[in-house]
């Protein structure tokens, strides 16, 4: 199993496809997977033949977010991880690339997108999802804040009221609800997901991609001008949350499969 | 007197449409392009000699009224040429006096507009700060990373950056070696304007051409007076400015400029 590639890339008809490939972990982000995703995005940014990008995943999940198992192991060994540093090194560069690459990026969401998995999908330009998909802002469940841009990207996608509710409740958001809220572009049948995503990507790749890229730059200026600054701030606040008793309890309860007893400390 | 250089490219660009009038002087801007693409325009001694020679030639050339200094989209200049310096000793580097070349840039009387994209680090940042106006691309980054090599800025970085940014910010950048983004540099007043990478050079040239259309003698004396404010006390600077102001009343351009203003027409400056 260990020589199985955890991230796959391919290139066809002007479309670059990146596939998260840890299906047995619902494609949760290990350190290695986040770095490989950063590299893959950099490659596709540079590659002039790639004029549109699809981000998708293998198996029944899109991405379960941070691999909590690797965190709880670190905690058992008595060290509290610096979540701020982890986010700065691993997640923020991904979000910055997704926004700054001047090519349309389509998230083809094939299953549950939780935590940073949802955040990454939100940072893409298009979201096409299957009817089985749920988005979960699961961070607060374990005593953390939404990160990887979710605090402001989701807020800008759906507005303050709904975004705040989603973040604090950590409730599942179904594909249909997501469509009604304007978070996603389209719901398709499971078997049609890649077909639809590739069709859209190929259509975009055959378009005036210079203008598309400049449009994205202008939209970024309008809506995400403060991207780097807000990501940095989010990382700082996650650092604080990561030092809290509630987070320690949240992860412990998750591993022990019981309801956490939060104290607000 | 076209010079051929190994490490830079030079060109002249005409300002505006020719009026056809015989007495209309030829007006250009001079453009100097740092050009060592394989090493991100690292500033070795040969390049600096060529650059200063080109700047001095433009300064002497009456048809050139302003100068644009630029690099490539990827790098204005990523720093000094480290290879050239790594084996120097205190005595050998002092004797070579490599900065004597740099010091000549201070004597250029015409305005120099830096068009900066990509890396402007170390010597690249210091060279940029010797210019008079800075137009940056969105991808530009600025910094003094010398501390990471166990040295400090040597071409004015500790002085010029501190005068622009103030003690605390300059200290942070020089002691950590961390770079600034174009946006940050704009907020801190290190650059005049940030433009998309596709346009920064054009914008710099447009500003150079705008300035080129003014009275060249007034432009020179204005530059000189502004730079005076960095040296010495205010009172001295004010006196210097006043003298330059009075001096301009012996120029034809002053007569023409004020006459044109009163006649509500555009002045035609001859540089006399």
């Amino acid at each position: 199993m260990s020589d199985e590639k955890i991230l796959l890339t391919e290139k066809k008809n002007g479309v670059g496809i990146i596939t998260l490939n840890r299906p047995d972990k619902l494609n949760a982000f290990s350190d290695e997977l986040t770095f490989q995703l950063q590299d893959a995005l950099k490659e596709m940014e540079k590659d002039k033949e790639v004029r549109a990008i699809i981000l998708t995943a293998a198996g029944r999940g899109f991405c379960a977010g941070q691999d909590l198992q690797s965190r709880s192991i670190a905690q058992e060994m008595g060290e509290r991880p610096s979540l701020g540093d982890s986010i700065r090194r691993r997640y923020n560069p991904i979000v910055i690339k997704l926004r700054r690459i001047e090519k349309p990026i389509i998230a083809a969401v094939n299953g549950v997108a939780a935590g940073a998995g949802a955040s990454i999908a939100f940072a893409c330009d298009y979201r096409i999802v299957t009817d089985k998909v749920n988005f979960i802002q699961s961070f607060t469940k374990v005593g953390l804040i939404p990160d990887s841009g979710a605090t402001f990207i989701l807020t800008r996608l759906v507005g303050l009221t709904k975004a705040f509710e989603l973040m604090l409740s950590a409730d599942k958001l179904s594909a249909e609800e997501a469509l009604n809220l304007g978070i996603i572009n389209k719901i398709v049948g499971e078997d049609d997901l890649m077909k639809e995503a590739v069709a859209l990507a190929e259509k975009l790749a055959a378009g005036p991609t210079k203008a598309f890229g400049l449009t994205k730059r202008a939209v970024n200026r309008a809506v995400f001008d403060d991207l780097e600054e807000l990501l940095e701030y989010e990382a700082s606040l996650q650092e604080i949350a990561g030092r809290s008793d509630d987070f320690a309890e949240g992860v412990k309860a998750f591993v022990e499969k019981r309801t956490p007893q939060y104290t607000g400390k | 007197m076209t010079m051929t250089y190994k490490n830079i490219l030079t060109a002249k660009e005409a300002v505006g449409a020719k009026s056809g009038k015989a007495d209309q002087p030829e007006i250009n801007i001079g453009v100097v392009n740092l050009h060592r693409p394989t090493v991100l325009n690292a500033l070795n001694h040969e390049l600096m000699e060529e650059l200063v020679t080109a700047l001095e030639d433009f300064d002497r050339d009456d048809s050139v009224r302003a100068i644009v200094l630029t690099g490539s989209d990827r790098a204005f200049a990523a720093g000094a040429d480290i290879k050239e310096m790594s084996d120097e000793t205190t005595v050998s580097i002092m004797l070579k006096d490599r900065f004597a070349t740099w010091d000549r840039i201070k004597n250029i009387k015409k305005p120099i507009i830096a068009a900066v994209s990509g890396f402007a680090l170390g010597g690249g940042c210091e060279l940029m700060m010797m210019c008079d106006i800075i137009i940056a691309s969105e991808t530009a980054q600025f910094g003094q990373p010398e501390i990471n090599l166990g040295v400090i800025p040597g071409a004015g970085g500790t002085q010029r950056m501190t005068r622009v940014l103030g003690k605390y910010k300059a200290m942070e950048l020089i002691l950590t070696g961390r770079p600034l983004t174009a946006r940050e540099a704009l907020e801190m007043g290190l650059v005049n304007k940030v433009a998309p990478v596709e346009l920064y050079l054009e914008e710099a040239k447009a500003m150079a051409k705008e300035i080129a259309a003014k009275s060249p003698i007034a432009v020179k004396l204005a530059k000189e007076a502004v730079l005076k404010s960095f040296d010495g006390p205010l009172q001295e600077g004010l006196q210097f400015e006043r003298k330059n102001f009075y001096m301009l009343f012996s120029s034809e351009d002053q007569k023409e400029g004020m006459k044109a203003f009163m006649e509500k027409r555009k002045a035609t400056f001859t540089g006399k």
Side-chain angles (χ1 to χ4, degrees):
Chain A
M1 269 309 279
S2 58
D3 49 310
E4 188 99 2
K5 284 190 177 166
I6 58 175
L7 185 122
L8 310 170
T9 58
E10 61 181 300
K11 203 172 78 177
K12 217 169 78 181
N13 301 332
V15 176
I17 303 179
I18 302 174
T19 306
L20 310 178
N21 191 34
R22 294 182 82 206
D24 51 327
K25 305 274 185 201
L26 294 174
N27 304 304
F29 281 124
S30 60
D31 278 18
E32 191 48 35
L33 184 57
T34 51
F35 294 133
Q36 287 193 19
L37 179 54
Q38 289 177 19
D39 290 344
L41 288 168
K42 270 184 222 159
E43 285 289 306
M44 302 241 170
E45 179 178 34
K46 265 190 266 167
D47 191 335
K48 289 194 166 47
E49 285 173 27
V50 172
R51 297 168 69 192
I53 300 167
I54 296 173
L55 177 62
T56 189
R60 64 194 173 86
F62 176 71
C63 176
Q66 169 62 31
D67 190 340
L68 274 178
Q69 272 171 343
S70 54
R71 263 183 200 164
S72 63
I73 289 164
Q75 283 184 324
E76 272 170 28
M77 290 170 64
E79 45 174 298
R80 285 206 179 184
S82 167
L83 298 192
D85 283 353
S86 166
I87 289 162
R88 285 180 191 107
R89 282 186 309 115
R90 299 170 56 215
Y91 292 107
N92 288 356
I94 295 172
V95 176
I96 290 168
K97 275 289 167 223
L98 290 172
R99 292 311 317 160
R100 299 283 182 223
I101 292 175
E102 293 185 355
K103 304 175 184 188
I105 304 179
I106 300 161
V109 186
N110 53 303
V112 66
S119 308
I120 297 293
F122 296 155
C124 295
D125 300 307
Y126 288 79
R127 279 157 292 281
I128 299 182
V129 317
T130 70
D131 43 14
K132 301 249 170 28
V133 160
N134 289 304
F135 291 97
I136 315 172
Q137 283 289 291
S138 46
F139 301 92
T140 53
K141 269 196 202 166
V142 290
L144 293 179
I145 71 163
D147 64 29
S148 306
T151 55
F152 57 97
I153 297 178
L154 183 60
T155 305
R156 288 168 195 185
L157 278 175
V158 302
L160 175 59
T161 306
K162 195 67 198 174
F164 201 67
E165 182 189 321
L166 289 169
M167 290 186 231
L168 264 53
S169 72
D171 282 343
K172 282 183 188 170
L173 185 72
S174 70
E176 196 159 331
E177 290 169 303
L179 186 67
N180 290 336
L181 288 171
I183 294 178
I184 62 171
N185 300 77
K186 195 172 182 184
I187 302 174
V188 298
E190 212 170 331
D191 297 336
D192 296 329
L193 179 67
M194 281 317 284
K195 205 169 62 191
E196 293 260 1
V198 168
L200 172 62
E202 284 181 354
K203 189 177 160 200
L204 291 168
T209 45
K210 182 73 190 170
F212 292 165
L214 293 172
T215 303
K216 185 165 172 178
R217 198 192 299 179
V219 168
N220 277 336
R221 180 72 189 258
V223 186
F224 294 117
D225 201 30
D226 44 5
L227 179 70
E228 286 84 356
E229 191 191 328
L230 287 177
L231 286 171
E232 172 56 33
Y233 191 60
E234 229 180 40
S236 295
L237 298 189
Q238 193 71 294
E239 177 67 26
I240 299 169
R243 293 175 190 176
S244 69
D245 294 343
D246 280 351
F247 173 56
E249 166 63 9
V251 173
K252 202 154 172 275
F254 175 82
V255 174
E256 292 166 8
K257 298 187 196 316
R258 60 171 174 81
T259 309
Q261 303 295 313
Y262 287 129
T263 60
K265 286 175 193 157
Chain B
M1 44 147 258
T2 317
M3 287 275 299
T4 38
Y5 297 109
K6 272 171 65 186
N7 305 285
I8 62 172
L9 308 169
T10 62
K12 284 200 268 186
E13 280 185 29
V15 174
K18 290 199 182 85
S19 66
K21 279 187 213 160
D23 62 339
Q24 189 82 357
E26 180 192 356
I27 300 178
N28 294 308
I29 60 166
V31 180
V32 183
N33 211 317
L34 307 176
H35 191 64
R36 295 184 76 204
T38 54
V39 289
L40 298 172
N41 294 331
L43 303 169
N44 65 359
H45 187 66
E46 192 181 48
L47 181 149
M48 288 307 297
E49 276 291 336
E50 292 181 1
L51 167 62
V52 173
T53 304
L55 292 175
E56 287 171 345
D57 281 349
F58 280 147
D59 213 28
R60 275 190 294 267
D61 182 338
D62 279 344
S63 80
V64 171
R65 301 289 174 83
I67 302 165
V68 170
L69 173 60
T70 191
S72 67
D73 289 352
R74 224 176 130 220
F76 177 71
D81 195 321
I82 304 300
K83 246 192 269 168
E84 209 176 54
M85 276 192 290
S86 57
D87 291 330
E88 299 283 8
T89 66
T90 298
V91 172
S92 69
I93 199 165
M94 269 179 73
L95 289 176
K96 276 183 194 157
D97 196 12
R98 54 185 288 120
F99 295 120
T101 312
W102 291 67
D103 290 342
R104 281 153 59 198
I105 299 173
K106 282 187 305 204
N107 302 327
I108 303 295
K109 301 277 190 297
K110 291 172 186 170
I112 306 175
I113 295 158
V116 181
S117 183
F119 302 111
L121 300 175
C125 191
E126 290 170 298
L127 176 61
M128 176 195 95
M129 289 191 290
M130 293 180 90
C131 298
D132 301 306
I133 290 171
I134 300 167
I135 308 295
S137 90
E138 286 170 336
T139 64
Q141 47 174 298
F142 313 90
Q144 300 291 160
E146 289 88 347
I147 200 82
N148 297 326
L149 306 181
V151 288
I152 69 170
T158 62
Q159 304 305 299
R160 290 202 176 86
M161 185 166 270
T162 307
R163 279 162 205 234
V164 176
L165 303 185
K167 173 183 161 188
Y168 304 104
K169 208 67 211 178
M171 202 65 98
E172 178 189 333
L173 293 178
I174 291 165
L175 298 187
T176 66
R178 274 207 296 258
L180 290 176
T181 63
R183 171 62 53 87
E184 290 167 330
L186 182 67
E187 278 169 10
M188 290 175 197
L190 183 60
V191 305
N192 295 70
K193 188 175 180 185
V194 176
V197 64
E198 294 88 343
L199 298 176
Y200 73 99
L201 181 56
E202 277 172 55
E203 298 228 2
K205 285 179 180 173
M207 193 177 289
K209 286 175 182 173
E210 185 183 344
I211 293 167
K214 316 288 182 196
S215 162
I217 180 78
V219 167
K220 276 186 198 175
L221 294 191
K223 168 172 169 168
E224 192 182 44
V226 171
L227 289 180
K228 187 75 183 168
S229 73
F230 288 97
D231 282 321
L234 177 65
Q235 195 50 41
E236 228 173 73
L238 290 170
Q239 277 173 4
F240 189 87
E241 176 197 83
R242 193 65 45 86
K243 282 184 182 157
N244 278 5
F245 177 74
Y246 291 153
M247 194 149 44
L248 284 165
F249 283 76
S250 64
S251 71
E252 287 175 22
D253 280 353
Q254 174 266 329
K255 304 283 175 288
E256 161 64 8
M258 292 193 170
K259 195 156 168 268
F261 177 82
M262 287 184 296
E263 291 169 5
K264 299 186 200 301
R265 62 173 172 82
K266 204 161 174 275
T268 309
F269 295 116
T270 58
K272 287 173 189 159

